[in-house]
Amino acid sequence: PQDPRVLDSMLPYLTAYYGNPHSRTHAYGWESEAAMEKARRQVADLIGADSREIIFTSGATESNNMAIKGVARFYKSRKKHIITTQTEHKCVLDSCRSLETEGFRVTYLPVKRNGLIDLKELEAAFQPDTSLVSVMTVNNEIGVKQPIHDIGEICRAHKVFFHTDAAQAIGKIPMDVNNMKIDLMSISGHKIYGPKGVGALYVRRRPRVRLEPLQSGGGQERGLRSGTVPTPLAVGLGAACEVAQQEMEYDHKRISQLAERLVTKIMSEVPDVVMNGDQEHRYPGCINLSFAYVEGESLLMALKDVALSSGSACTSASLEPSYVLRAIGTDEDLAHSSIRFGIGRFTTEEEVDYTVQKCIQHVKRLREMSPLWEMVQDGIDLKSIKWTQH
Amino acid sequence: VNVVFVDREGRRVPVRGRVGENVLHLAQRHGLELEGACEASLACSTCHVYISEPHLSRLPAPDEREEDLLDQAPLLQENSRLACQVLLSSALEGAQISLPRVTRNFYVDGHVPKPH
């Protein structure tokens, strides 16, 4: 949900202060421009950047598209190779696929069973004409945190630009673009309790990263993203970033406690539950559990008064099980039974307890009905069964 | 110092200039269509040109304000510079300096502004 403080900061710009921030000649424009620049500074402060390095976009999808396609196309006369991972967000993978049709080569790095990439494989993947490496900071489906610091060092050593999709990480874990040697970073408004429809892209100035703009027009946002910046949304994003910076530590402690509570309670009552992704290098608020011998969709429908998903929002319409879970080597039957629990700033303890209780109740009920569960109880090894077609 | 300008239609114009002369003014003296709207005061991107290697690497690196303005120039490439910030020197001997097809000022009707 949107933080009420964010809404408070946005309202004046939706009502009285309606000037176009790019109008240089009158007071309506000046006051909107001042608000936009203040928001830019708030976003920059959260990640340790200069405010001139922040470009407002329509969301992290646009930022990812701009970063990947923009950098690749600008340097295409000399560099035609890109490295990314198999667990990236769909917009990153789709941008890479469309670049492949333009003649670029893309290496999709596999991940280990715990969801993290192997740094040695990353080193081996570099080629003399690599222009960009894109690795997301925190995965949106299993919550694992990649070793961004180490990846940044490796990229710097190879003089290759490093882009990270930090939509799930910003405002939740401390990020510093200089410390982590990040050259491009995507930011999403609605992931940090801000408004939907706005995001940002951090583009490093020293050493300068050049992009071919996706949107042509009047040259706003340093010529990289033309179009009027939506002042109320940008102000909301800025306020969300400032609030997140202040509340980061407290939120993290609270969410860790709630996550611990949820996982311990479920795992103590119900056997054969697997947590997908590394236990240690993760963000606590995104938990993905697989309940063996239970079908994920039926569990979700049983828990329909709790907002859960078996994947991410952007893949909830598709029928295939999550490619992220497949990349970490989950068996297909476990991949179908996975549920993602998201815990945030506004989740209460009662909500967690309710979810846990309902979850345990329905898992037990569905397992009673499941023939696979019966067979396991009888000691049959499911993998030895030959399933026949009727 | 001898350099070769390549104008928008691809015509090669060899010119000769003195060391220390500003490349924008050199181009304008020889009738090339570099607008120079801000009169070399580092405030626009209309004198955007492409400079050939290895001459480009021999030039001093652009300062931050020039980089900022280059960001706003359309059809940017890795060998782009602002001509008003490049001074002729022996390092540029034999360089090929090409004009991009468009600048930020929208003269889609074919209008060519007089040098400022």
Side-chain angles (χ1 to χ4, degrees), chain A residues 27-38:
Chain A
Y28 290 117
W30 299 327
E31 66 200 7
S32 294
E33 189 180 7
M36 179 180 80
E37 292 303 318
K38 175 172 169 206

Side-chain angles (χ1 to χ4, degrees), chain A residues 90-110:
Chain A
K90 255 203 178 157
C91 57
V92 171
L93 295 178
D94 213 34
S95 303
C96 289
R97 282 205 303 200
S98 90
L99 283 177
E100 283 187 305
T101 65
E102 288 180 25
F104 290 87
R105 297 181 327 273
V106 182
T107 301
Y108 299 94
L109 287 174

Side-chain angles (χ1 to χ4, degrees), chain A residues 220-336:
Chain A
Q220 284 83 14
E221 297 296 291
R222 260 172 71 189
L224 299 176
R225 202 266 181 191
S226 301
T228 304
V229 170
T231 322
L233 295 177
V235 166
L237 176 62
C241 286
E242 187 170 308
V243 167
Q245 192 166 24
Q246 290 163 353
E247 310 248 314
M248 205 190 302
E249 207 187 310
Y250 174 74
D251 276 348
H252 196 268
K253 270 201 248 166
R254 197 177 149 269
I255 291 174
S256 303
Q257 274 174 356
L258 286 176
E260 182 75 42
R261 193 186 173 89
L262 182 128
V263 174
T264 331
K265 276 196 160 174
I266 291 184
M267 291 210 170
S268 62
E269 294 275 323
V270 180
D272 294 315
V273 177
V274 175
M275 186 192 296
N276 295 307
D278 194 89
Q279 306 270 29
E280 211 190 295
H281 298 281
R282 60 165 35 248
Y283 171 63
C286 175
I287 305 166
N288 194 304
L289 298 176
S290 283
F291 299 92
Y293 321 116
V294 170
E295 226 272 308
E297 296 294 332
S298 40
L299 184 55
L300 274 182
M301 291 214 282
L303 290 170
K304 64 175 184 285
D305 47 358
V306 183
L308 298 170
S309 66
S310 67
S312 57
C314 58
T315 58
S316 61
S318 68
L319 292 173
E320 56 168 58
S322 154
Y323 59 87
V324 174
L325 291 179
R326 197 173 58 228
I328 62 173
T330 314
D331 286 332
E332 209 174 315
D333 48 344
L334 274 184
H336 275 287

Side-chain angles (χ1 to χ4, degrees), chain B residues 76-97:
Chain B
L76 197 65
Q77 286 178 334
E78 286 187 76
N79 55 351
S80 291
R81 285 299 298 262
L82 291 183
C84 66
Q85 299 300 304
V86 177
L87 299 177
L88 275 181
S89 65
S90 52
L92 280 175
E93 179 65 41
Q96 179 170 295
I97 303 177

Side-chain angles (χ1 to χ4, degrees), chain B:
Chain B
V1 178
N2 296 303
V3 297
V4 180
F5 280 103
V6 181
D7 77 359
R8 297 229 167 85
E9 275 92 52
R11 252 193 330 250
R12 297 172 68 83
V13 182
V15 305
R16 205 187 168 89
R18 278 189 302 280
V19 172
E21 193 174 354
N22 189 306
V23 170
L24 170 66
H25 294 146
L26 178 65
Q28 286 174 338
R29 264 198 305 126
H30 290 265
L32 284 139
E33 298 155 2
L34 270 185
E35 189 184 344
C38 69
E39 303 184 30
S41 63
L42 203 55
C44 74
S45 58
T46 54
C47 66
H48 171 214
V49 291
Y50 306 126
I51 301 186
S52 57
E53 287 287 2
H55 311 96
L56 178 68
S57 319
R58 293 193 203 135
L59 291 173
D63 78 335
E64 240 186 285
R65 282 166 54 210
E66 185 185 342
E67 294 260 31
D68 278 343
L69 289 171
L70 277 174
D71 271 345
Q72 298 187 0
L75 300 181
L76 197 65
Q77 286 178 334
E78 286 187 76
N79 55 351
S80 291
R81 285 299 298 262
L82 291 183
C84 66
Q85 299 300 304
V86 177
L87 299 177
L88 275 181
S89 65
S90 52
L92 280 175
E93 179 65 41
Q96 179 170 295
I97 303 177
S98 329
L99 270 57
R101 272 184 310 124
V102 294
T103 69
R104 194 170 171 181
N105 287 343
F106 277 74
Y107 298 123
V108 287
D109 55 351
H111 167 74
V112 178
K114 289 211 198 39
H116 294 251

